Amino acid sequence: CSNRLFLPHLLLLSSPSLSTPPLFYSPLGPVFEEQPSSVVYPEGLSKGTVTLNCQARASPAATYRWHVNGTNVPVGDPRYTLVAGNLVISGPQYGSDGGSYQCLAMNRCGTILSRVANLKFGYLHDFSGEGQSPQTVYEGAGAFLACQAPAHYPALSYRWFVNDFPSFVKPEGGRWFVSQVTGNLYLAKAEPNDTASYFCFTTIDMDISTKSTFSKANQLTVQPDGTGVKSAPAIKVRFPAETYALAGHTTQLECFAYGNPVPKLRWRKVDGLLPSKAGASAEGPILTLPEVTFHDEGVYECEAYNSEGRDKHQGRINVQAQPEWLQVMSDSEVEISSELHWTCVAAGKPRPSIRWLLEVNGGRLKVINLALEDSGMYQCVAENKHDTIYSNAELRVQVQAPDFRSNPVRRLVPAARGGQVMLECRPRAAPKPTLFWSRGTELLTNSSRVTVTPDGILWIHNISRADEGKYTCFAENYLGKANSTGHLSVRDATKITLAPSNADINQEENVTLQCHASHDPTMDLTFTWAHNGALYMPHFNLNCGPYQGNYPFNTIGDLLIVSGQLSQAGTYSCTAQTVVDSASASAKLVVRGPPGPPGGLVVKNIAETSAELRWSRGYDNHSPIGKYVIMGCSPLSSGWRTMRTDPSNIEGNSESARVVGLLPWMDYEFQVIASNILGSGEPSMSSHTVRTQQAAPTVAPSGLGGGGGDRNELIITWTPMAREYQNGDGFGYILAFRKRNTPTWVVERVSNVESSRYVYSNQSLSPYCPFEVKIKAYNCKGEGPFSQIALVHSAEEEPTVAPSRINATALTAFEMQVSWDPVQHLSIRYWRQHEREAAADRVRTAGLETTARVAGLRPSTRYHVTVLAYNSAGTGPASPKSTVTTRRPPPNRPPGNVFWKTDGSWVTVRWDHVKALDNESAVLGYKVLYKHEGQSALKILDKGKTSVTLPLPKDNGYVVLEIRSWGEGGDGAAHETIVSRDSGETD
C-alpha cells in the first residue's frame, strides 16, 4: 500500500478494471460505513453536544482526522472529542463552531474524504413589540392579516389563534387560509362573528428541540352590511410563475381567493393529466405533490369559482435532481507496468460537474505504466447546487513471480473423440509471464491441430485416442519460473440420434418435441432445451426423461409443451451434453392464435362528436385478421366499452376508422382490438388522452320548479347539468319567466355550473302569484334549447285567519282526535295543564283534512289544544283553546291462568278475567291475535268472553297466540303463548 492521498473536489464518473483476487491476506483501504449528516443546533444552548458520525471499514483499522471549512479541527481542544471516528463537540457556539465538516479516514493503504456535513445554528427571535394597526372590513368582503415573522433559521411553520391560546383558526370550510410561505392569515368572506384579536404563532423544528413564539394582537373588526352584495372570486395568494421542485421530494403550490359566496378551488395540469398522487389537495388551497418526478413537470392552473364567476392563475413546475451515480469506480488489482482506466458518470439536473485532482480526459482517469507507488485510495466527486456525492476505490499495483498454487492446470481434462479441447494456463504473476506448453519432452507449437494462444491457452482440435497423455504449462518472468501439469483423457463423442421436427399447433394445444442421443457409456448424459437461444426451464414429460445414470430411458430428452401459448412459438434447440462435449439439434414451433395488439395508435381530426383513429397492423399470429373493434373510456365511464364507428364493421385489412357518437368537450382514451377465427387478441396500447371539440348545449336542464321563500320573492330551482351535457367551457344557465297570461319574459343569466336555484326579488310581486318559467343552458359555443314551461308561484303570505269550530275528543288513555272546519295546511299545538304554551308539542297536517289523531299522550291528563293554519311563509294566528282529558289507562297486567284443550282439529283456549283497579279503565272485552305456524299475518278476534275456539293447523303444527284486555283506555298488556295439539296450560 501507499500513503499517497487523492482528494478530488469534483464530480467524477468511474469504471472498474478487471482484477485478480489476492491469494494471501493483504491490507484493505478504508471504506465508509457511516458518514456525518448536517445538524441544526439551537443557538444559545451552551450545555448540549453535537455528534458528527464517521466510521470506516479498513485493515489495518482506520485512523481519523476532521476538517472544518478546509482546516484541521483542533482535537486537542477540550471542547472537541474524537470517539472512535465520531467527532463530539461540547457546548457548540455560534460563530466559532458553525461551518462545513468533513471526516478523513486513513490507513497505510490511503485516505478517503467523507461527504460534507454542515453545522448550523437555529434561532427564532421574538416578534416586534409594535402591534399592527387595527383592520376594519365589511361583511362579505375578503381580508388578510400579515404575520411579519421575526428573524429565524430554519424555515417556520405558521398557525394563528383567536383571542386566547390555544384557540387556533381552523381552515376547514374554505373561509380561512394560513400561508406557509408568508405566514399571512387570509379570510375569503368576512362575517360579523369574525371580529376578534388574532395572533400569529410560529414554530421552528431543530434536530434536538423546537421553539415557538407568537405576535402581538392583530385586531380585526367586521362591520355588518345588510345589502348582501355578492362578488366573483379574486385570487389573492398566487404561487410563483416558476417553481423549482427537487425530484423525490414533496412540492406544494398555494392558491387562495376572496369572494362571496366563499369560492371553491380546483387544480388542473394544463399540459397533461393532474397526477393522481395529488389526492384531495386537488380541491384545496395547497396542491401537494409527494415524491416529485420529471413526469410532474408542467404548467399547473388554480381555478377559484362561485355562483358569481371565476378566476384563474397559472405557473410552471420545473423539476431538478440531486447528483446520482450511473457508473462508479471499484477496487482494482492490476499488475505493475500496465494501464488503469477508471470512469465516473453521474446524472442530475442541473448537470453535475466532473473534476479530478489529476490530469484526466473528461470524466475518465487513465494511468499508464503503473508503478508500486501508484497504489492507494482514489476518489471522484459529483456535485451540483443540490448536493455533492463521493465515490472512492482502492488501487493495488501487484508484483510477483509466477505461482500456480491458486490456479493450477486441471489435473484431469476429459475430451470427446473428434472434438476439441481447451487447456488453460493462468498462473498468478506480475508482470505478465512468458507461457509455453509441452507434452512429455515435446515442446508444442502451432500446427493444423494444435494452437497455443499468446495468453497461454492450449487448443487441440479433431481429438483422437493418440492425444491422451500429460501436458505441462511453463511460466516465466524476471522474478522467477513455475510449471503445472494436467492429464488429457479421450472419450466417445455425443450424437443426436433422433432430432426434433418442426411443428404447427393452435393455441392451447399440446405438442411433443422429440430428442434422442448416444454418448460415452462411462459418462452421464444431460438434456437441456433452449427457446430462441434462451435456456428453457420446462416441466418435462415424466414418461420420457430426461434421466441421468443407468436408467432405461437415459438417452431420451423429449419436451412436452402443454396448452401451448403464442409466446412459446419460435426455435427450440435440444442439447445432449456430457462433461466433455455436447450435440444439438433444432426445430421450429408455430403457434396459431388470436392477433397481437395493433401498434402506432394515433387520434386525428377530432370534432365535436367524432374522431379519426389510425393504427398499424399487429402480428396476425399465423391466422388472418378478420375485424377490428375500437374500445374507449372517459371520466364518466366505469371502464372500457365498445365504441360506435364508421364503418360500423371494421374489416381486417383496415388501418383506420372514425369513432362517432362522442360527447362534446369530453376527454377520451381509445384502444384497438384485432380478432380472427381463433379469438380476440390483446388491445393496443391506449392512445394519448384527447378532448373533443366544444359545442353548444343540446339538452335543457331538468327538474325545473320552485316556490316558497320570503315575501316579494320568486324562487326558481332546477337540477344542475351533469358534466356530460355541458358540451363546453364557460357554462351557465339562462332563466326566462313571466307572470301567467302576460307577454313579456324576464331573462336572467346564472354563470355557475353548480347553481341549482335563483331568487328574483321585486317589491311589486304579489303573494302566491303564478309564473311561467323555462330554462336553457349556454356555454362559450352558444345556447341550448329551452325546457318545457313550468308553473311556479311566488312566495305566499302568512295565513291571517285562525281555524274555527275546534273540537278535541279523548279516544284512549294515549290518543285524542282533533277536528276543525276545512283550512289548508294545519298545525296542531297541544300541551299539558300546568305547562307553558311555549313548550307545546306540534302535529302537522296537509291538504284539506278536517281531523287528526294525536298519539303519545299521558293517561288521565288534561290537555290544552289550539290549531293554526300554515304555509311556506309561516304560521297564522292560533284558534281558540280547546281542552280535553285523556282516559284512564288500561290494566297493565296480561290475562292469567291461560290453558287450552284440543278436540280433533280445534283447540279451545281459556283464561282468567282481568279486573281493573280503581285508577284503570274498565275491561270491556278481549282481543285475541293468532297465526298458524309458518304464517306471517296475524288474525284478530274481538271477544267479550274469556275463551276462544280456534282451528288447529294440519301436520301437527302449532298456533301462536296473543291475548290482551281492552276498554276505553285502550289495549292492555298481552299474554303470549304457543298452542299445539297436546292439551296444556301456562302460568
Short mmCIF file of all heavy atoms in Angstrom, two decimals, residues 733-773:
data_model
loop_
_atom_site.label_atom_id
_atom_site.label_comp_id
_atom_site.label_asym_id
_atom_site.label_seq_id
_atom_site.Cartn_x
_atom_site.Cartn_y
_atom_site.Cartn_z
N TYR A 733 -76.50 29.08 -17.04
CA TYR A 733 -77.93 28.87 -17.29
C TYR A 733 -78.60 30.20 -17.64
O TYR A 733 -78.21 31.27 -17.16
CB TYR A 733 -78.61 28.29 -16.05
CG TYR A 733 -77.98 27.01 -15.55
CD1 TYR A 733 -77.01 27.04 -14.54
CD2 TYR A 733 -78.32 25.78 -16.10
CE1 TYR A 733 -76.42 25.87 -14.09
CE2 TYR A 733 -77.74 24.62 -15.66
CZ TYR A 733 -76.78 24.67 -14.65
OH TYR A 733 -76.20 23.51 -14.21
N ILE A 734 -79.61 30.11 -18.50
CA ILE A 734 -80.45 31.27 -18.85
C ILE A 734 -81.87 30.97 -18.40
O ILE A 734 -82.46 29.95 -18.81
CB ILE A 734 -80.40 31.54 -20.36
CG1 ILE A 734 -78.97 31.92 -20.79
CG2 ILE A 734 -81.39 32.65 -20.73
CD1 ILE A 734 -78.82 32.13 -22.27
N LEU A 735 -82.39 31.81 -17.52
CA LEU A 735 -83.74 31.66 -17.00
C LEU A 735 -84.65 32.70 -17.67
O LEU A 735 -84.25 33.86 -17.83
CB LEU A 735 -83.77 31.88 -15.49
CG LEU A 735 -83.16 30.78 -14.62
CD1 LEU A 735 -82.94 31.30 -13.22
CD2 LEU A 735 -84.08 29.57 -14.59
N ALA A 736 -85.85 32.26 -18.04
CA ALA A 736 -86.88 33.18 -18.55
C ALA A 736 -88.16 32.94 -17.77
O ALA A 736 -88.57 31.79 -17.58
CB ALA A 736 -87.09 32.96 -20.04
N PHE A 737 -88.78 34.02 -17.29
CA PHE A 737 -90.01 33.85 -16.51
C PHE A 737 -90.91 35.08 -16.72
O PHE A 737 -90.44 36.18 -17.04
CB PHE A 737 -89.71 33.66 -15.02
CG PHE A 737 -88.81 34.69 -14.42
CD1 PHE A 737 -89.32 35.83 -13.81
CD2 PHE A 737 -87.42 34.52 -14.45
CE1 PHE A 737 -88.49 36.77 -13.25
CE2 PHE A 737 -86.58 35.47 -13.90
CZ PHE A 737 -87.12 36.60 -13.29
N ARG A 738 -92.19 34.84 -16.59
CA ARG A 738 -93.19 35.90 -16.74
C ARG A 738 -94.42 35.53 -15.94
O ARG A 738 -94.68 34.34 -15.69
CB ARG A 738 -93.54 36.11 -18.20
CG ARG A 738 -94.27 34.93 -18.83
CD ARG A 738 -94.51 35.13 -20.30
NE ARG A 738 -95.20 33.98 -20.89
CZ ARG A 738 -95.44 33.82 -22.19
NH1 ARG A 738 -95.01 34.75 -23.05
NH2 ARG A 738 -96.06 32.75 -22.64
N LYS A 739 -95.19 36.54 -15.55
CA LYS A 739 -96.47 36.27 -14.92
C LYS A 739 -97.37 35.58 -15.94
O LYS A 739 -97.33 35.87 -17.13
CB LYS A 739 -97.13 37.56 -14.45
CG LYS A 739 -96.47 38.20 -13.24
CD LYS A 739 -97.25 39.42 -12.78
CE LYS A 739 -96.58 40.07 -11.56
NZ LYS A 739 -97.32 41.27 -11.11
N ARG A 740 -98.12 34.64 -15.43
CA ARG A 740 -99.01 33.92 -16.33
C ARG A 740 -99.97 34.90 -17.02
O ARG A 740 -100.47 35.83 -16.40
CB ARG A 740 -99.78 32.84 -15.55
CG ARG A 740 -100.56 31.89 -16.46
CD ARG A 740 -101.02 30.67 -15.72
NE ARG A 740 -101.88 31.01 -14.58
CZ ARG A 740 -102.42 30.09 -13.79
NH1 ARG A 740 -102.17 28.81 -13.98
NH2 ARG A 740 -103.18 30.47 -12.78
N ASN A 741 -100.17 34.65 -18.31
CA ASN A 741 -101.07 35.46 -19.15
C ASN A 741 -100.53 36.86 -19.42
O ASN A 741 -101.30 37.80 -19.69
CB ASN A 741 -102.47 35.56 -18.53
CG ASN A 741 -103.11 34.19 -18.35
OD1 ASN A 741 -102.91 33.29 -19.19
ND2 ASN A 741 -103.86 34.01 -17.27
N THR A 742 -99.20 37.03 -19.31
CA THR A 742 -98.57 38.29 -19.74
C THR A 742 -97.59 37.99 -20.86
O THR A 742 -97.05 36.89 -20.93
CB THR A 742 -97.83 38.98 -18.58
OG1 THR A 742 -96.78 38.12 -18.13
CG2 THR A 742 -98.78 39.30 -17.44
N PRO A 743 -97.31 38.97 -21.76
CA PRO A 743 -96.50 38.66 -22.95
C PRO A 743 -94.99 38.75 -22.75
O PRO A 743 -94.23 38.14 -23.49
CB PRO A 743 -96.96 39.73 -23.96
CG PRO A 743 -97.34 40.90 -23.10
CD PRO A 743 -97.93 40.32 -21.83
N THR A 744 -94.51 39.50 -21.76
CA THR A 744 -93.08 39.83 -21.70
C THR A 744 -92.34 38.88 -20.75
O THR A 744 -92.77 38.66 -19.61
CB THR A 744 -92.89 41.27 -21.22
OG1 THR A 744 -93.62 42.13 -22.09
CG2 THR A 744 -91.40 41.63 -21.23
N TRP A 745 -91.21 38.32 -21.26
CA TRP A 745 -90.36 37.43 -20.46
C TRP A 745 -89.24 38.23 -19.81
O TRP A 745 -88.63 39.10 -20.45
CB TRP A 745 -89.72 36.33 -21.32
CG TRP A 745 -90.69 35.34 -21.88
CD1 TRP A 745 -91.33 35.40 -23.07
CD2 TRP A 745 -91.10 34.13 -21.26
NE1 TRP A 745 -92.13 34.30 -23.26
CE2 TRP A 745 -92.01 33.48 -22.15
CE3 TRP A 745 -90.82 33.51 -20.05
CZ2 TRP A 745 -92.61 32.28 -21.87
CZ3 TRP A 745 -91.41 32.29 -19.76
CH2 TRP A 745 -92.31 31.69 -20.65
N VAL A 746 -88.95 37.93 -18.56
CA VAL A 746 -87.76 38.45 -17.89
C VAL A 746 -86.67 37.40 -18.04
O VAL A 746 -86.89 36.22 -17.75
CB VAL A 746 -88.03 38.73 -16.39
CG1 VAL A 746 -86.75 39.20 -15.70
CG2 VAL A 746 -89.14 39.76 -16.24
N VAL A 747 -85.47 37.81 -18.50
CA VAL A 747 -84.37 36.87 -18.77
C VAL A 747 -83.22 37.17 -17.82
O VAL A 747 -82.79 38.32 -17.70
CB VAL A 747 -83.91 36.96 -20.23
CG1 VAL A 747 -82.74 36.00 -20.48
CG2 VAL A 747 -85.07 36.63 -21.18
N GLU A 748 -82.72 36.15 -17.15
CA GLU A 748 -81.58 36.28 -16.23
C GLU A 748 -80.55 35.20 -16.54
O GLU A 748 -80.91 34.08 -16.93
CB GLU A 748 -82.03 36.16 -14.78
CG GLU A 748 -82.98 37.25 -14.32
CD GLU A 748 -82.27 38.59 -14.13
OE1 GLU A 748 -81.01 38.61 -14.15
OE2 GLU A 748 -82.97 39.61 -13.99
N ARG A 749 -79.27 35.55 -16.36
CA ARG A 749 -78.18 34.58 -16.56
C ARG A 749 -77.60 34.17 -15.20
O ARG A 749 -77.39 35.02 -14.34
CB ARG A 749 -77.07 35.17 -17.43
CG ARG A 749 -77.42 35.19 -18.91
CD ARG A 749 -76.29 35.77 -19.74
NE ARG A 749 -76.58 35.66 -21.15
CZ ARG A 749 -75.98 34.80 -21.98
NH1 ARG A 749 -75.03 34.01 -21.51
NH2 ARG A 749 -76.31 34.75 -23.26
N VAL A 750 -77.30 32.88 -15.06
CA VAL A 750 -76.62 32.34 -13.87
C VAL A 750 -75.35 31.66 -14.38
O VAL A 750 -75.42 30.68 -15.13
CB VAL A 750 -77.51 31.35 -13.12
CG1 VAL A 750 -76.77 30.80 -11.90
CG2 VAL A 750 -78.82 32.01 -12.69
N SER A 751 -74.16 32.19 -13.98
CA SER A 751 -72.91 31.77 -14.62
C SER A 751 -72.23 30.58 -13.96
O SER A 751 -71.19 30.13 -14.44
CB SER A 751 -71.93 32.96 -14.63
OG SER A 751 -71.64 33.37 -13.31
N ASN A 752 -72.76 30.06 -12.86
CA ASN A 752 -72.09 28.96 -12.16
C ASN A 752 -72.74 27.63 -12.54
O ASN A 752 -73.94 27.45 -12.38
CB ASN A 752 -72.17 29.16 -10.65
CG ASN A 752 -71.37 28.12 -9.89
OD1 ASN A 752 -70.68 27.29 -10.48
ND2 ASN A 752 -71.45 28.16 -8.58
N VAL A 753 -71.92 26.69 -13.02
CA VAL A 753 -72.44 25.41 -13.46
C VAL A 753 -73.10 24.63 -12.33
O VAL A 753 -74.02 23.84 -12.56
CB VAL A 753 -71.30 24.57 -14.09
CG1 VAL A 753 -70.23 24.27 -13.06
CG2 VAL A 753 -71.83 23.26 -14.67
N GLU A 754 -72.67 24.87 -11.08
CA GLU A 754 -73.21 24.10 -9.96
C GLU A 754 -74.45 24.75 -9.33
O GLU A 754 -75.01 24.21 -8.39
CB GLU A 754 -72.13 23.91 -8.90
CG GLU A 754 -70.94 23.09 -9.39
CD GLU A 754 -69.90 22.89 -8.31
OE1 GLU A 754 -70.09 23.41 -7.19
OE2 GLU A 754 -68.90 22.20 -8.58
N SER A 755 -74.86 25.89 -9.83
CA SER A 755 -76.03 26.56 -9.27
C SER A 755 -77.28 25.71 -9.50
O SER A 755 -77.42 25.06 -10.54
CB SER A 755 -76.23 27.93 -9.92
OG SER A 755 -75.17 28.80 -9.59
N SER A 756 -78.19 25.76 -8.54
CA SER A 756 -79.43 24.98 -8.65
C SER A 756 -80.66 25.82 -8.27
O SER A 756 -81.77 25.29 -8.22
CB SER A 756 -79.36 23.75 -7.75
OG SER A 756 -79.21 24.12 -6.40
N ARG A 757 -80.47 27.12 -7.99
CA ARG A 757 -81.61 27.96 -7.64
C ARG A 757 -81.30 29.41 -7.97
O ARG A 757 -80.13 29.82 -8.05
CB ARG A 757 -81.98 27.83 -6.16
CG ARG A 757 -80.99 28.44 -5.20
CD ARG A 757 -81.23 27.96 -3.76
NE ARG A 757 -82.54 28.28 -3.27
CZ ARG A 757 -82.83 29.37 -2.53
NH1 ARG A 757 -81.86 30.21 -2.23
NH2 ARG A 757 -84.05 29.58 -2.08
N TYR A 758 -82.39 30.14 -8.21
CA TYR A 758 -82.27 31.58 -8.48
C TYR A 758 -83.39 32.28 -7.72
O TYR A 758 -84.54 31.81 -7.72
CB TYR A 758 -82.38 31.86 -9.97
CG TYR A 758 -82.38 33.34 -10.31
CD1 TYR A 758 -81.19 34.06 -10.31
CD2 TYR A 758 -83.56 34.01 -10.60
CE1 TYR A 758 -81.18 35.42 -10.61
CE2 TYR A 758 -83.56 35.36 -10.89
CZ TYR A 758 -82.36 36.07 -10.89
OH TYR A 758 -82.36 37.41 -11.17
N VAL A 759 -83.06 33.38 -7.07
CA VAL A 759 -84.04 34.14 -6.29
C VAL A 759 -84.24 35.50 -6.97
O VAL A 759 -83.30 36.29 -7.11
CB VAL A 759 -83.57 34.34 -4.84
CG1 VAL A 759 -84.61 35.14 -4.07
CG2 VAL A 759 -83.32 32.99 -4.17
N TYR A 760 -85.48 35.73 -7.39
CA TYR A 760 -85.86 37.01 -8.01
C TYR A 760 -86.64 37.81 -6.99
O TYR A 760 -87.68 37.35 -6.47
CB TYR A 760 -86.69 36.75 -9.26
CG TYR A 760 -87.26 38.01 -9.89
CD1 TYR A 760 -86.43 38.92 -10.53
CD2 TYR A 760 -88.62 38.26 -9.85
CE1 TYR A 760 -86.94 40.06 -11.11
CE2 TYR A 760 -89.16 39.40 -10.43
CZ TYR A 760 -88.32 40.31 -11.06
OH TYR A 760 -88.83 41.44 -11.63
N SER A 761 -86.15 39.01 -6.65
CA SER A 761 -86.79 39.86 -5.64
C SER A 761 -87.36 41.10 -6.31
O SER A 761 -86.68 41.74 -7.13
CB SER A 761 -85.79 40.28 -4.56
OG SER A 761 -85.30 39.15 -3.88
N ASN A 762 -88.62 41.42 -5.95
CA ASN A 762 -89.26 42.60 -6.51
C ASN A 762 -90.38 43.01 -5.54
O ASN A 762 -91.26 42.20 -5.21
CB ASN A 762 -89.83 42.30 -7.89
CG ASN A 762 -90.26 43.55 -8.63
OD1 ASN A 762 -90.90 44.43 -8.06
ND2 ASN A 762 -89.90 43.63 -9.90
N GLN A 763 -90.34 44.26 -5.09
CA GLN A 763 -91.32 44.73 -4.11
C GLN A 763 -92.74 44.71 -4.66
O GLN A 763 -93.71 44.72 -3.90
CB GLN A 763 -90.96 46.15 -3.65
CG GLN A 763 -89.65 46.24 -2.90
CD GLN A 763 -89.65 45.43 -1.63
OE1 GLN A 763 -90.66 45.40 -0.91
NE2 GLN A 763 -88.54 44.74 -1.36
N SER A 764 -92.87 44.65 -6.00
CA SER A 764 -94.21 44.67 -6.59
C SER A 764 -94.80 43.28 -6.75
O SER A 764 -95.92 43.15 -7.24
CB SER A 764 -94.17 45.38 -7.95
OG SER A 764 -93.37 44.64 -8.86
N LEU A 765 -94.06 42.23 -6.37
CA LEU A 765 -94.57 40.87 -6.54
C LEU A 765 -95.75 40.63 -5.60
O LEU A 765 -95.68 40.90 -4.39
CB LEU A 765 -93.48 39.84 -6.24
CG LEU A 765 -92.49 39.53 -7.36
CD1 LEU A 765 -91.53 38.44 -6.90
CD2 LEU A 765 -93.21 39.09 -8.61
N SER A 766 -96.82 40.09 -6.17
CA SER A 766 -97.99 39.75 -5.37
C SER A 766 -97.76 38.38 -4.73
O SER A 766 -97.07 37.53 -5.29
CB SER A 766 -99.24 39.70 -6.25
OG SER A 766 -99.45 40.93 -6.88
N PRO A 767 -98.34 38.16 -3.53
CA PRO A 767 -98.17 36.85 -2.90
C PRO A 767 -98.81 35.74 -3.73
O PRO A 767 -99.88 35.91 -4.32
CB PRO A 767 -98.88 37.02 -1.55
CG PRO A 767 -98.99 38.49 -1.35
CD PRO A 767 -99.10 39.10 -2.70
N TYR A 768 -98.11 34.63 -3.76
CA TYR A 768 -98.58 33.40 -4.40
C TYR A 768 -99.11 33.68 -5.82
O TYR A 768 -100.15 33.20 -6.22
CB TYR A 768 -99.66 32.73 -3.57
CG TYR A 768 -99.74 31.23 -3.81
CD1 TYR A 768 -98.66 30.43 -3.46
CD2 TYR A 768 -100.86 30.65 -4.37
CE1 TYR A 768 -98.71 29.06 -3.68
CE2 TYR A 768 -100.92 29.28 -4.59
CZ TYR A 768 -99.84 28.49 -4.24
OH TYR A 768 -99.89 27.14 -4.46
N CYS A 769 -98.31 34.45 -6.57
CA CYS A 769 -98.66 34.80 -7.95
C CYS A 769 -98.08 33.75 -8.88
O CYS A 769 -96.89 33.41 -8.78
CB CYS A 769 -98.12 36.18 -8.29
SG CYS A 769 -98.45 36.71 -9.98
N PRO A 770 -98.84 33.19 -9.82
CA PRO A 770 -98.31 32.15 -10.73
C PRO A 770 -97.41 32.75 -11.80
O PRO A 770 -97.75 33.76 -12.41
CB PRO A 770 -99.58 31.54 -11.33
CG PRO A 770 -100.60 32.62 -11.26
CD PRO A 770 -100.28 33.43 -10.03
N PHE A 771 -96.27 32.09 -12.02
CA PHE A 771 -95.32 32.48 -13.06
C PHE A 771 -95.06 31.30 -13.97
O PHE A 771 -94.97 30.15 -13.52
CB PHE A 771 -93.98 32.93 -12.44
CG PHE A 771 -93.97 34.35 -11.95
CD1 PHE A 771 -94.55 34.69 -10.74
CD2 PHE A 771 -93.39 35.35 -12.73
CE1 PHE A 771 -94.54 35.99 -10.29
CE2 PHE A 771 -93.36 36.65 -12.26
CZ PHE A 771 -93.93 36.98 -11.05
N GLU A 772 -94.92 31.60 -15.27
CA GLU A 772 -94.43 30.61 -16.23
C GLU A 772 -92.91 30.73 -16.28
O GLU A 772 -92.37 31.82 -16.43
CB GLU A 772 -95.05 30.85 -17.60
CG GLU A 772 -96.55 30.61 -17.63
CD GLU A 772 -97.14 30.91 -18.99
OE1 GLU A 772 -96.59 31.80 -19.69
OE2 GLU A 772 -98.15 30.28 -19.35
N VAL A 773 -92.23 29.57 -16.15
CA VAL A 773 -90.77 29.58 -16.05
C VAL A 773 -90.21 28.57 -17.04
O VAL A 773 -90.76 27.47 -17.21
CB VAL A 773 -90.32 29.20 -14.61
CG1 VAL A 773 -88.80 29.16 -14.53
CG2 VAL A 773 -90.87 30.19 -13.61
#
